[in-house]
Amino acid sequence: MIAHSPLRSLGGPVAGLVTAAGQTSANVTDWPARASWLVGILLLVALVCWLMREGWRWRATLQSGLPALRALPADPGTPRLTMTGLYHGSTAAGQWLERLVAHGLGARSRAELTLYDCGLHVRRPGSTDFFVPADDLRAARLDNAIAGKVLTRDGLLVVTWAHGDQLIDSGFRSDHAAEHPAWTAALTTPNQHTPKEGAIR
């Protein structure tokens, strides 16, 4: 004789509740596996971040011989040109992937550029400001890539300057791209040599 479950004999809504309860139980039992996947992903992300930070610190150690950045003189004179925009980073001149990170040069930031007769001042809110004396300014050009960042064609103003024994390319993007040509004209003279561009064309 076959025994029938009282719940089965009720059928309809009660049977549906039993089925839903079984599905809920199955879903609950999946949580440990899902939690394991989540923990694994978080650990992987943490490892990648740690490796990036260590790589940054290692690069900064290699560049520890770069002299400290100069500050704006007390009386720089009257500004010739001003520009606001973004600072995209600095590299060894002509090497658009050879990022410089010492003294905060590797951090992208907002930037306010002011050109004086005595040199170029770069103000970077929240980061390190620096000043390039006029005698250390070498050239300027329009380019499309620096420090691993690729933009639209001629979307960057790249200023080449000397600091200690190092020639440096620093990339800026004005809030108004139409300002770039005036800056290249002001920063480049016929007897200055522009290093070979390292950007992708």
Side-chain angles (χ1 to χ4, degrees), residues 76-138:
T78 303
R80 292 173 50 196
L81 280 175
T82 60
M83 183 179 87
T84 59
L86 294 174
Y87 168 77
H88 281 278
S90 294
T91 67
Q95 304 294 324
W96 75 287
L97 289 174
E98 192 63 32
R99 180 193 293 270
L100 298 178
V101 301
H103 309 304
L105 288 174
R108 292 189 176 97
S109 66
R110 291 289 301 172
E112 300 171 8
L113 277 66
T114 306
L115 181 63
Y116 301 92
D117 286 336
C118 64
L120 173 67
H121 182 237
V122 180
R123 181 175 179 271
R124 301 169 61 203
S127 194
T128 307
D129 301 346
F130 60 93
F131 176 76
V132 182
D135 289 343
D136 292 337
L137 290 169
R138 294 292 181 264

Side-chain angles (χ1 to χ4, degrees), residues 53-73:
R53 186 186 68 176
E54 289 302 304
W56 194 278
R57 292 174 62 181
W58 174 75
R59 187 180 289 268
T61 300
L62 291 180
Q63 298 168 4
S64 60
L66 194 68
L69 300 175
R70 294 181 175 88
L72 180 69

Side-chain angles (χ1 to χ4, degrees), residues 6-67:
L7 292 177
R8 183 183 296 275
S9 64
L10 291 176
V14 175
L17 290 174
V18 172
T19 302
Q23 291 175 345
T24 302
S25 177
N27 289 337
V28 170
T29 58
D30 288 339
W31 277 111
R34 294 180 182 180
S36 297
W37 275 103
L38 180 60
V39 170
I41 291 172
L42 291 176
L43 288 175
L44 179 61
V45 170
L47 176 61
V48 171
C49 291
W50 180 81
L51 289 174
M52 290 176 63
R53 186 186 68 176
E54 289 302 304
W56 194 278
R57 292 174 62 181
W58 174 75
R59 187 180 289 268
T61 300
L62 291 180
Q63 298 168 4
S64 60
L66 194 68

